[in-house]
Amino acid sequence: QVQLVESGGGLVQAGDSLRLSCAASGRTSNNYVMGWFRRAPGKEREFVAGISWSGRRIDYADSVKGRFTISRDNAKNTAYLQMNSLKPEDTAVYYCAATGEILGRGPATYDYDYWGQGTQVTVSS
C-alpha cells in the first residue's frame, strides 16, 4: 500500500502560480509512477500530468502544456506540480496518484492504484 497526501492548494487570481506537493509513504521501495489528476465541478476526472520514476518520461494534458511542470524528488518520496499562468478553468480538486512502473509505458497510460484525498485549487477571474 502507498499513502499519498497532497498539499498546496488554495484560492488565487488568474495569472498567479501555485505549487502542489504530494508526499508518498508506505511501500515506496518499488519504482512507481506518479501522476496528477483533477476534477472540476460537473466534470469527469481528467489526467493533468505524470512522471516516471526516473523523471525522464513526462506526459502532460494539452490544456496545461507550457504552464504546468511536474517533478519529483525520490529521496523525499514527493512529487510536485508547479502551476503557472493559472486560469479560471483550472479550478478543480487536484488529486495525486501513484502506481507501479512498467518500463516503456508513458505516465498517461496507467490505471493508477493509489490516490490522495485531493486539494482544492480555485482560480478567480
Side-chain angles (χ1 to χ4, degrees):
Q1 285 280 19
V2 175
Q3 291 79 45
L4 303 171
V5 178
E6 304 97 335
S7 61
L11 172 63
V12 297
Q13 292 187 332
D16 285 350
S17 298
L18 275 178
R19 189 175 83 153
L20 305 183
S21 298
C22 173
S25 61
R27 296 186 64 180
T28 58
S29 58
N30 296 325
N31 292 0
Y32 54 96
V33 177
M34 296 191 78
W36 287 96
F37 292 74
R38 67 186 181 187
R39 188 193 302 271
K43 295 186 177 180
E44 294 186 354
R45 186 177 65 199
E46 64 173 351
F47 174 83
V48 175
I51 186 169
S52 65
W53 171 258
S54 68
R56 289 195 289 266
R57 188 154 185 179
I58 292 175
D59 290 334
Y60 292 104
D62 288 342
S63 58
V64 306
K65 281 181 181 176
R67 299 188 300 121
F68 290 11
T69 302
I70 188 171
S71 62
R72 66 189 297 165
D73 183 339
N74 290 338
K76 297 181 179 179
N77 290 324
T78 300
Y80 305 95
L81 185 68
Q82 177 67 42
M83 304 185 294
N84 298 330
S85 302
L86 282 161
K87 304 175 181 180
E89 50 264 43
D90 294 319
T91 295
V93 178
Y94 283 72
Y95 298 91
C96 176
T99 190
E101 185 173 56
I102 300 173
L103 292 179
R105 287 190 63 174
T109 67
Y110 287 85
D111 290 325
Y112 286 76
D113 294 312
Y114 305 107
W115 294 84
Q117 81 289 350
T119 185
Q120 177 71 46
V121 172
T122 303
V123 184
S124 64
S125 57

